[in-house]
mmCIF file of all heavy atoms in Angstrom:
data_model
loop_
_atom_site.group_PDB
_atom_site.id
_atom_site.type_symbol
_atom_site.label_atom_id
_atom_site.label_comp_id
_atom_site.label_asym_id
_atom_site.label_seq_id
_atom_site.Cartn_x
_atom_site.Cartn_y
_atom_site.Cartn_z
ATOM 1 N N PRO A 1 0.764 -1.205 -0.019
ATOM 2 C CA PRO A 1 0.005 0.013 -0.028
ATOM 3 C C PRO A 1 0.833 1.292 -0.040
ATOM 4 O O PRO A 1 1.899 1.272 0.531
ATOM 5 C CB PRO A 1 -0.782 -0.103 1.309
ATOM 6 C CG PRO A 1 -0.022 -1.078 2.175
ATOM 7 C CD PRO A 1 0.677 -1.939 1.251
ATOM 8 N N ASN A 2 0.383 2.303 -0.686
ATOM 9 C CA ASN A 2 1.004 3.593 -0.737
ATOM 10 C C ASN A 2 0.718 4.300 0.618
ATOM 11 O O ASN A 2 -0.162 5.129 0.791
ATOM 12 C CB ASN A 2 0.473 4.326 -1.867
ATOM 13 C CG ASN A 2 1.325 5.668 -2.132
ATOM 14 O OD1 ASN A 2 1.869 6.163 -1.175
ATOM 15 N ND2 ASN A 2 1.224 6.165 -3.298
ATOM 16 N N THR A 3 1.520 4.069 1.536
ATOM 17 C CA THR A 3 1.329 4.568 2.949
ATOM 18 C C THR A 3 1.336 6.070 2.973
ATOM 19 O O THR A 3 0.693 6.706 3.772
ATOM 20 C CB THR A 3 2.277 3.966 3.912
ATOM 21 O OG1 THR A 3 3.650 4.186 3.505
ATOM 22 C CG2 THR A 3 2.137 2.432 4.121
ATOM 23 N N GLN A 4 2.303 6.696 2.256
ATOM 24 C CA GLN A 4 2.364 8.090 2.164
ATOM 25 C C GLN A 4 1.119 8.833 1.686
ATOM 26 O O GLN A 4 0.551 9.735 2.226
ATOM 27 C CB GLN A 4 3.489 8.615 1.321
ATOM 28 C CG GLN A 4 4.861 8.441 2.000
ATOM 29 C CD GLN A 4 6.018 8.949 1.203
ATOM 30 O OE1 GLN A 4 5.960 9.082 -0.028
ATOM 31 N NE2 GLN A 4 7.178 9.369 1.885
ATOM 32 N N ALA A 5 0.599 8.226 0.588
ATOM 33 C CA ALA A 5 -0.711 8.771 0.108
ATOM 34 C C ALA A 5 -1.867 8.524 1.037
ATOM 35 O O ALA A 5 -2.735 9.437 1.204
ATOM 36 C CB ALA A 5 -1.033 8.049 -1.272
ATOM 37 N N ILE A 6 -1.880 7.343 1.667
ATOM 38 C CA ILE A 6 -2.980 7.120 2.684
ATOM 39 C C ILE A 6 -2.946 8.065 3.864
ATOM 40 O O ILE A 6 -3.895 8.597 4.243
ATOM 41 C CB ILE A 6 -2.796 5.637 3.181
ATOM 42 C CG1 ILE A 6 -3.132 4.667 1.981
ATOM 43 C CG2 ILE A 6 -3.721 5.395 4.386
ATOM 44 C CD1 ILE A 6 -2.750 3.229 2.289
ATOM 45 N N LYS A 7 -1.656 8.264 4.396
ATOM 46 C CA LYS A 7 -1.555 9.175 5.519
ATOM 47 C C LYS A 7 -1.911 10.681 5.125
ATOM 48 O O LYS A 7 -2.667 11.244 5.895
ATOM 49 C CB LYS A 7 -0.051 9.155 5.948
ATOM 50 C CG LYS A 7 0.220 9.991 7.159
ATOM 51 C CD LYS A 7 1.634 9.853 7.754
ATOM 52 C CE LYS A 7 1.800 10.686 8.938
ATOM 53 N NZ LYS A 7 3.204 10.572 9.446
ATOM 54 N N ALA A 8 -1.566 11.071 3.931
ATOM 55 C CA ALA A 8 -1.849 12.461 3.515
ATOM 56 C C ALA A 8 -3.359 12.580 3.364
ATOM 57 O O ALA A 8 -3.893 13.611 3.809
ATOM 58 C CB ALA A 8 -1.142 12.692 2.188
ATOM 59 N N LYS A 9 -4.003 11.650 2.777
ATOM 60 C CA LYS A 9 -5.500 11.690 2.570
ATOM 61 C C LYS A 9 -6.258 11.551 3.946
ATOM 62 O O LYS A 9 -7.234 12.315 4.038
ATOM 63 C CB LYS A 9 -5.906 10.571 1.626
ATOM 64 C CG LYS A 9 -7.302 10.723 1.085
ATOM 65 C CD LYS A 9 -7.325 11.860 0.106
ATOM 66 C CE LYS A 9 -8.721 11.944 -0.668
ATOM 67 N NZ LYS A 9 -8.783 13.113 -1.446
ATOM 68 N N VAL A 10 -5.695 10.751 4.772
ATOM 69 C CA VAL A 10 -6.402 10.638 6.137
ATOM 70 C C VAL A 10 -6.247 11.987 6.874
ATOM 71 O O VAL A 10 -7.274 12.387 7.452
ATOM 72 C CB VAL A 10 -5.658 9.529 6.988
ATOM 73 C CG1 VAL A 10 -6.055 9.571 8.436
ATOM 74 C CG2 VAL A 10 -6.048 8.131 6.398
ATOM 75 N N GLU A 11 -5.104 12.548 6.810
ATOM 76 C CA GLU A 11 -4.912 13.799 7.582
ATOM 77 C C GLU A 11 -5.822 14.925 6.909
ATOM 78 O O GLU A 11 -6.339 15.723 7.780
ATOM 79 C CB GLU A 11 -3.371 14.300 7.530
ATOM 80 C CG GLU A 11 -2.551 13.397 8.322
ATOM 81 C CD GLU A 11 -1.068 13.733 8.242
ATOM 82 O OE1 GLU A 11 -0.719 14.601 7.343
ATOM 83 O OE2 GLU A 11 -0.244 13.250 9.043
ATOM 84 N N ASP A 12 -5.889 14.996 5.615
ATOM 85 C CA ASP A 12 -6.649 16.010 4.980
ATOM 86 C C ASP A 12 -8.232 15.863 5.263
ATOM 87 O O ASP A 12 -8.863 16.814 5.697
ATOM 88 C CB ASP A 12 -6.533 15.854 3.456
ATOM 89 C CG ASP A 12 -7.475 16.888 2.706
ATOM 90 O OD1 ASP A 12 -7.392 18.117 3.055
ATOM 91 O OD2 ASP A 12 -8.098 16.447 1.641
ATOM 92 N N LEU A 13 -8.686 14.608 5.218
ATOM 93 C CA LEU A 13 -10.102 14.412 5.546
ATOM 94 C C LEU A 13 -10.398 14.538 6.977
ATOM 95 O O LEU A 13 -11.433 15.077 7.384
ATOM 96 C CB LEU A 13 -10.556 12.956 5.117
ATOM 97 C CG LEU A 13 -10.750 12.891 3.595
ATOM 98 C CD1 LEU A 13 -10.714 11.268 3.232
ATOM 99 C CD2 LEU A 13 -11.991 13.526 3.149
ATOM 100 N N THR A 14 -9.401 14.147 7.913
ATOM 101 C CA THR A 14 -9.609 14.381 9.264
ATOM 102 C C THR A 14 -9.771 15.907 9.647
ATOM 103 O O THR A 14 -10.543 16.275 10.427
ATOM 104 C CB THR A 14 -8.385 13.852 10.125
ATOM 105 O OG1 THR A 14 -8.341 12.484 9.891
ATOM 106 C CG2 THR A 14 -8.545 14.033 11.535
ATOM 107 N N ASP A 15 -8.909 16.742 8.983
ATOM 108 C CA ASP A 15 -8.957 18.121 9.143
ATOM 109 C C ASP A 15 -10.393 18.729 8.726
ATOM 110 O O ASP A 15 -10.971 19.523 9.429
ATOM 111 C CB ASP A 15 -7.826 18.954 8.451
ATOM 112 C CG ASP A 15 -6.540 18.666 9.096
ATOM 113 O OD1 ASP A 15 -6.498 18.241 10.288
ATOM 114 O OD2 ASP A 15 -5.484 18.890 8.430
ATOM 115 N N GLN A 16 -10.781 18.279 7.580
ATOM 116 C CA GLN A 16 -12.110 18.721 7.033
ATOM 117 C C GLN A 16 -13.242 18.359 7.902
ATOM 118 O O GLN A 16 -14.162 19.105 8.208
ATOM 119 C CB GLN A 16 -12.355 18.110 5.687
ATOM 120 C CG GLN A 16 -11.352 18.678 4.530
ATOM 121 C CD GLN A 16 -11.732 18.164 3.201
ATOM 122 O OE1 GLN A 16 -12.917 18.217 2.754
ATOM 123 N NE2 GLN A 16 -10.768 17.710 2.454
ATOM 124 N N ILE A 17 -13.205 17.039 8.454
ATOM 125 C CA ILE A 17 -14.216 16.553 9.323
ATOM 126 C C ILE A 17 -14.222 17.341 10.636
ATOM 127 O O ILE A 17 -15.277 17.830 11.128
ATOM 128 C CB ILE A 17 -14.103 15.075 9.632
ATOM 129 C CG1 ILE A 17 -14.416 14.249 8.364
ATOM 130 C CG2 ILE A 17 -14.892 14.635 10.792
ATOM 131 C CD1 ILE A 17 -13.967 12.854 8.340
ATOM 132 N N SER A 18 -13.094 17.625 11.268
ATOM 133 C CA SER A 18 -12.938 18.355 12.482
ATOM 134 C C SER A 18 -13.473 19.793 12.309
ATOM 135 O O SER A 18 -14.224 20.341 13.202
ATOM 136 C CB SER A 18 -11.438 18.411 12.930
ATOM 137 O OG SER A 18 -11.028 17.149 13.241
ATOM 138 N N ASP A 19 -13.108 20.433 11.166
ATOM 139 C CA ASP A 19 -13.650 21.802 10.899
ATOM 140 C C ASP A 19 -15.118 21.785 10.845
ATOM 141 O O ASP A 19 -15.819 22.641 11.426
ATOM 142 C CB ASP A 19 -12.995 22.369 9.632
ATOM 143 C CG ASP A 19 -11.506 22.683 9.781
ATOM 144 O OD1 ASP A 19 -11.055 22.779 10.931
ATOM 145 O OD2 ASP A 19 -10.846 22.810 8.796
ATOM 146 N N ALA A 20 -15.664 20.795 10.019
ATOM 147 C CA ALA A 20 -17.175 20.841 9.895
ATOM 148 C C ALA A 20 -17.925 20.621 11.229
ATOM 149 O O ALA A 20 -18.968 21.193 11.508
ATOM 150 C CB ALA A 20 -17.513 19.733 8.869
ATOM 151 N N ILE A 21 -17.296 19.697 12.064
ATOM 152 C CA ILE A 21 -17.929 19.535 13.400
ATOM 153 C C ILE A 21 -17.785 20.684 14.235
ATOM 154 O O ILE A 21 -18.774 21.117 14.969
ATOM 155 C CB ILE A 21 -17.243 18.301 14.032
ATOM 156 C CG1 ILE A 21 -17.594 16.996 13.192
ATOM 157 C CG2 ILE A 21 -17.762 18.106 15.462
ATOM 158 C CD1 ILE A 21 -16.835 15.689 13.717
ATOM 159 N N GLN A 22 -16.695 21.366 14.266
ATOM 160 C CA GLN A 22 -16.475 22.496 15.098
ATOM 161 C C GLN A 22 -17.408 23.658 14.697
ATOM 162 O O GLN A 22 -17.894 24.400 15.558
ATOM 163 C CB GLN A 22 -14.945 22.929 15.015
ATOM 164 C CG GLN A 22 -14.558 24.088 15.966
ATOM 165 C CD GLN A 22 -13.165 24.422 15.938
ATOM 166 O OE1 GLN A 22 -12.370 23.931 15.134
ATOM 167 N NE2 GLN A 22 -12.710 25.238 16.833
ATOM 168 N N GLN A 23 -17.650 23.790 13.421
ATOM 169 C CA GLN A 23 -18.464 24.855 12.940
ATOM 170 C C GLN A 23 -19.973 24.513 13.028
ATOM 171 O O GLN A 23 -20.813 25.272 12.823
ATOM 172 C CB GLN A 23 -18.165 25.167 11.438
ATOM 173 C CG GLN A 23 -16.681 25.827 11.285
ATOM 174 C CD GLN A 23 -16.250 25.799 9.854
ATOM 175 O OE1 GLN A 23 -17.077 25.525 8.917
ATOM 176 N NE2 GLN A 23 -14.986 25.991 9.617
ATOM 177 N N GLY A 24 -20.215 23.205 13.315
ATOM 178 C CA GLY A 24 -21.627 22.808 13.284
ATOM 179 C C GLY A 24 -22.387 22.883 11.980
ATOM 180 O O GLY A 24 -23.582 23.030 11.885
ATOM 181 N N ASN A 25 -21.516 22.695 10.951
ATOM 182 C CA ASN A 25 -21.996 22.779 9.585
ATOM 183 C C ASN A 25 -22.662 21.493 9.111
ATOM 184 O O ASN A 25 -21.931 20.593 8.723
ATOM 185 C CB ASN A 25 -20.885 23.258 8.635
ATOM 186 C CG ASN A 25 -21.460 23.629 7.248
ATOM 187 O OD1 ASN A 25 -22.418 23.073 6.763
ATOM 188 N ND2 ASN A 25 -20.804 24.621 6.651
ATOM 189 N N GLU A 26 -23.921 21.301 9.287
ATOM 190 C CA GLU A 26 -24.584 20.036 8.969
ATOM 191 C C GLU A 26 -24.477 19.683 7.525
ATOM 192 O O GLU A 26 -24.272 18.495 7.139
ATOM 193 C CB GLU A 26 -26.019 20.162 9.394
ATOM 194 C CG GLU A 26 -26.689 18.781 9.253
ATOM 195 C CD GLU A 26 -28.194 18.725 9.863
ATOM 196 O OE1 GLU A 26 -28.560 19.740 10.479
ATOM 197 O OE2 GLU A 26 -28.881 17.762 9.612
ATOM 198 N N LEU A 27 -24.597 20.652 6.637
ATOM 199 C CA LEU A 27 -24.529 20.358 5.195
ATOM 200 C C LEU A 27 -23.123 19.800 4.850
ATOM 201 O O LEU A 27 -23.026 18.873 4.122
ATOM 202 C CB LEU A 27 -24.774 21.595 4.323
ATOM 203 C CG LEU A 27 -24.732 21.427 2.838
ATOM 204 C CD1 LEU A 27 -25.708 20.384 2.387
ATOM 205 C CD2 LEU A 27 -24.983 22.807 2.155
ATOM 206 N N SER A 28 -22.084 20.483 5.383
ATOM 207 C CA SER A 28 -20.728 19.957 5.135
ATOM 208 C C SER A 28 -20.523 18.568 5.675
ATOM 209 O O SER A 28 -19.827 17.744 5.056
ATOM 210 C CB SER A 28 -19.711 20.948 5.750
ATOM 211 O OG SER A 28 -19.696 22.174 5.104
ATOM 212 N N MET A 29 -21.079 18.267 6.849
ATOM 213 C CA MET A 29 -20.963 17.021 7.451
ATOM 214 C C MET A 29 -21.638 15.937 6.638
ATOM 215 O O MET A 29 -21.158 14.912 6.391
ATOM 216 C CB MET A 29 -21.473 17.052 8.865
ATOM 217 C CG MET A 29 -20.506 17.750 9.873
ATOM 218 S SD MET A 29 -21.045 17.523 11.562
ATOM 219 C CE MET A 29 -22.340 18.821 11.704
ATOM 220 N N LEU A 30 -22.866 16.238 6.129
ATOM 221 C CA LEU A 30 -23.543 15.232 5.201
ATOM 222 C C LEU A 30 -22.824 15.043 4.021
ATOM 223 O O LEU A 30 -22.805 13.934 3.516
ATOM 224 C CB LEU A 30 -24.910 15.862 5.016
ATOM 225 C CG LEU A 30 -25.957 15.817 6.120
ATOM 226 C CD1 LEU A 30 -27.188 16.590 5.794
ATOM 227 C CD2 LEU A 30 -26.316 14.349 6.562
ATOM 228 N N ASN A 31 -22.221 16.101 3.395
ATOM 229 C CA ASN A 31 -21.446 16.043 2.233
ATOM 230 C C ASN A 31 -20.193 15.118 2.364
ATOM 231 O O ASN A 31 -19.830 14.332 1.506
ATOM 232 C CB ASN A 31 -21.035 17.367 1.654
ATOM 233 C CG ASN A 31 -22.155 18.149 0.985
ATOM 234 O OD1 ASN A 31 -23.122 17.497 0.514
ATOM 235 N ND2 ASN A 31 -22.108 19.437 0.952
ATOM 236 N N LEU A 32 -19.636 15.241 3.550
ATOM 237 C CA LEU A 32 -18.441 14.475 3.834
ATOM 238 C C LEU A 32 -18.842 12.981 4.088
ATOM 239 O O LEU A 32 -18.033 12.107 3.580
ATOM 240 C CB LEU A 32 -17.746 15.000 5.148
ATOM 241 C CG LEU A 32 -16.907 16.201 5.019
ATOM 242 C CD1 LEU A 32 -16.629 16.812 6.318
ATOM 243 C CD2 LEU A 32 -15.543 15.882 4.325
ATOM 244 N N VAL A 33 -19.939 12.730 4.666
ATOM 245 C CA VAL A 33 -20.360 11.282 4.801
ATOM 246 C C VAL A 33 -20.554 10.716 3.415
ATOM 247 O O VAL A 33 -20.096 9.567 3.150
ATOM 248 C CB VAL A 33 -21.696 11.168 5.548
ATOM 249 C CG1 VAL A 33 -22.288 9.809 5.409
ATOM 250 C CG2 VAL A 33 -21.504 11.471 7.044
ATOM 251 N N LYS A 34 -21.194 11.410 2.461
ATOM 252 C CA LYS A 34 -21.376 10.948 1.122
ATOM 253 C C LYS A 34 -20.078 10.783 0.403
ATOM 254 O O LYS A 34 -19.828 9.804 -0.309
ATOM 255 C CB LYS A 34 -22.303 11.857 0.330
ATOM 256 C CG LYS A 34 -22.620 11.324 -1.032
ATOM 257 C CD LYS A 34 -23.578 12.293 -1.825
ATOM 258 C CE LYS A 34 -23.978 11.682 -3.236
ATOM 259 N NZ LYS A 34 -22.782 11.295 -4.014
ATOM 260 N N ARG A 35 -19.185 11.724 0.548
ATOM 261 C CA ARG A 35 -17.871 11.746 -0.039
ATOM 262 C C ARG A 35 -17.106 10.479 0.377
ATOM 263 O O ARG A 35 -16.409 9.757 -0.502
ATOM 264 C CB ARG A 35 -17.083 12.953 0.286
ATOM 265 C CG ARG A 35 -15.743 13.121 -0.425
ATOM 266 C CD ARG A 35 -15.073 14.367 -0.095
ATOM 267 N NE ARG A 35 -13.634 14.399 -0.513
ATOM 268 C CZ ARG A 35 -12.815 15.351 -0.077
ATOM 269 N NH1 ARG A 35 -13.237 16.305 0.617
ATOM 270 N NH2 ARG A 35 -11.559 15.286 -0.488
ATOM 271 N N LEU A 36 -17.139 10.220 1.626
ATOM 272 C CA LEU A 36 -16.397 9.069 2.198
ATOM 273 C C LEU A 36 -16.960 7.674 1.588
ATOM 274 O O LEU A 36 -16.176 6.831 1.232
ATOM 275 C CB LEU A 36 -16.483 8.981 3.711
ATOM 276 C CG LEU A 36 -15.601 10.089 4.425
ATOM 277 C CD1 LEU A 36 -16.136 10.104 5.902
ATOM 278 C CD2 LEU A 36 -14.164 9.730 4.309
ATOM 279 N N SER A 37 -18.266 7.683 1.443
ATOM 280 C CA SER A 37 -18.958 6.449 0.929
ATOM 281 C C SER A 37 -18.519 6.320 -0.578
ATOM 282 O O SER A 37 -18.166 5.261 -1.055
ATOM 283 C CB SER A 37 -20.400 6.546 1.025
ATOM 284 O OG SER A 37 -21.062 5.463 0.395
ATOM 285 N N ASP A 38 -18.543 7.460 -1.345
ATOM 286 C CA ASP A 38 -18.192 7.494 -2.697
ATOM 287 C C ASP A 38 -16.715 7.112 -2.869
ATOM 288 O O ASP A 38 -16.311 6.376 -3.851
ATOM 289 C CB ASP A 38 -18.565 8.768 -3.356
ATOM 290 C CG ASP A 38 -20.003 9.092 -3.489
ATOM 291 O OD1 ASP A 38 -20.790 8.140 -3.340
ATOM 292 O OD2 ASP A 38 -20.425 10.215 -3.728
ATOM 293 N N LEU A 39 -15.885 7.663 -2.024
ATOM 294 C CA LEU A 39 -14.468 7.350 -2.047
ATOM 295 C C LEU A 39 -14.186 5.855 -1.942
ATOM 296 O O LEU A 39 -13.341 5.385 -2.751
ATOM 297 C CB LEU A 39 -13.782 8.158 -0.928
ATOM 298 C CG LEU A 39 -12.223 8.110 -0.885
ATOM 299 C CD1 LEU A 39 -11.647 9.009 -1.971
ATOM 300 C CD2 LEU A 39 -11.756 8.462 0.577
ATOM 301 N N ARG A 40 -14.829 5.271 -1.003
ATOM 302 C CA ARG A 40 -14.605 3.814 -0.764
ATOM 303 C C ARG A 40 -15.060 3.090 -1.978
ATOM 304 O O ARG A 40 -14.416 2.100 -2.480
ATOM 305 C CB ARG A 40 -15.286 3.369 0.483
ATOM 306 C CG ARG A 40 -15.031 1.896 0.771
ATOM 307 C CD ARG A 40 -15.681 1.406 1.991
ATOM 308 N NE ARG A 40 -15.089 0.252 2.588
ATOM 309 C CZ ARG A 40 -15.661 -0.477 3.551
ATOM 310 N NH1 ARG A 40 -16.765 -0.232 4.028
ATOM 311 N NH2 ARG A 40 -14.915 -1.603 3.897
ATOM 312 N N LYS A 41 -16.260 3.352 -2.520
ATOM 313 C CA LYS A 41 -16.916 2.689 -3.577
ATOM 314 C C LYS A 41 -15.989 2.716 -4.784
ATOM 315 O O LYS A 41 -15.862 1.702 -5.539
ATOM 316 C CB LYS A 41 -18.312 3.186 -3.850
ATOM 317 C CG LYS A 41 -19.019 2.380 -4.982
ATOM 318 C CD LYS A 41 -20.455 2.980 -5.106
ATOM 319 C CE LYS A 41 -21.300 2.792 -3.952
ATOM 320 N NZ LYS A 41 -22.815 3.350 -4.131
ATOM 321 N N SER A 42 -15.516 3.945 -5.015
ATOM 322 C CA SER A 42 -14.611 4.103 -6.187
ATOM 323 C C SER A 42 -13.413 3.338 -6.123
ATOM 324 O O SER A 42 -12.932 2.685 -7.120
ATOM 325 C CB SER A 42 -14.286 5.698 -6.337
ATOM 326 O OG SER A 42 -13.369 5.865 -7.342
ATOM 327 N N GLY A 43 -12.743 3.347 -5.006
ATOM 328 C CA GLY A 43 -11.559 2.613 -4.793
ATOM 329 C C GLY A 43 -11.743 1.028 -4.953
ATOM 330 O O GLY A 43 -10.943 0.370 -5.655
ATOM 331 N N LEU A 44 -12.851 0.494 -4.392
ATOM 332 C CA LEU A 44 -13.183 -0.917 -4.586
ATOM 333 C C LEU A 44 -13.380 -1.295 -6.034
ATOM 334 O O LEU A 44 -12.911 -2.291 -6.432
ATOM 335 C CB LEU A 44 -14.437 -1.269 -3.694
ATOM 336 C CG LEU A 44 -14.257 -1.335 -2.261
ATOM 337 C CD1 LEU A 44 -15.565 -1.411 -1.478
ATOM 338 C CD2 LEU A 44 -13.279 -2.436 -1.819
ATOM 339 N N GLN A 45 -14.117 -0.420 -6.730
ATOM 340 C CA GLN A 45 -14.393 -0.742 -8.112
ATOM 341 C C GLN A 45 -13.247 -0.587 -9.094
ATOM 342 O O GLN A 45 -13.175 -1.394 -10.072
ATOM 343 C CB GLN A 45 -15.543 0.212 -8.578
ATOM 344 C CG GLN A 45 -16.869 -0.021 -7.982
ATOM 345 C CD GLN A 45 -17.930 0.982 -8.341
ATOM 346 O OE1 GLN A 45 -17.700 2.005 -8.974
ATOM 347 N NE2 GLN A 45 -19.207 0.639 -8.136
ATOM 348 N N THR A 46 -12.321 0.205 -8.699
ATOM 349 C CA THR A 46 -11.153 0.417 -9.649
ATOM 350 C C THR A 46 -9.924 -0.424 -9.310
ATOM 351 O O THR A 46 -9.290 -1.160 -10.113
ATOM 352 C CB THR A 46 -10.694 1.892 -9.631
ATOM 353 O OG1 THR A 46 -10.424 2.374 -8.319
ATOM 354 C CG2 THR A 46 -11.779 2.823 -10.271
ATOM 355 N N LYS A 47 -9.580 -0.527 -7.947
ATOM 356 C CA LYS A 47 -8.359 -1.268 -7.603
ATOM 357 C C LYS A 47 -8.549 -2.278 -6.433
ATOM 358 O O LYS A 47 -7.619 -2.852 -5.963
ATOM 359 C CB LYS A 47 -7.288 -0.205 -7.192
ATOM 360 C CG LYS A 47 -6.782 0.710 -8.362
ATOM 361 C CD LYS A 47 -5.712 1.620 -7.886
ATOM 362 C CE LYS A 47 -5.254 2.441 -9.084
ATOM 363 N NZ LYS A 47 -4.147 3.417 -8.710
ATOM 364 N N GLY A 48 -9.850 -2.434 -6.058
ATOM 365 C CA GLY A 48 -10.134 -3.389 -5.032
ATOM 366 C C GLY A 48 -9.862 -2.996 -3.605
ATOM 367 O O GLY A 48 -9.659 -1.870 -3.274
#
């Protein structure tokens, strides 16, 4: 696994999630839930 790419993406998404929660931005949080689901589905379909 590309550990550097994984770590960078985890840190980026963690920051976005923390910001959305701190701001109480429900729309951003809902969009992030969908984005995470789509991210996983895309990865499974293309590279397993």
Side-chain angles (χ1 to χ4, degrees):
N2 187 336
T3 53
Q4 287 187 330
I6 292 167
K7 184 176 181 179
K9 195 70 176 173
V10 165
E11 290 177 351
D12 176 50
L13 284 166
T14 299
D15 287 344
Q16 291 185 50
I17 289 167
S18 296
D19 288 345
I21 292 173
Q22 186 174 6
Q23 294 166 13
N25 191 326
E26 186 174 350
L27 180 59
S28 291
M29 288 188 278
L30 288 170
N31 286 337
L32 280 163
V33 168
K34 184 179 185 304
R35 183 178 167 193
L36 288 166
S37 176
D38 291 345
L39 185 77
R40 186 184 199 189
K41 187 179 293 184
S42 171
L44 286 170
Q45 289 175 346
T46 56
K47 295 183 179 178

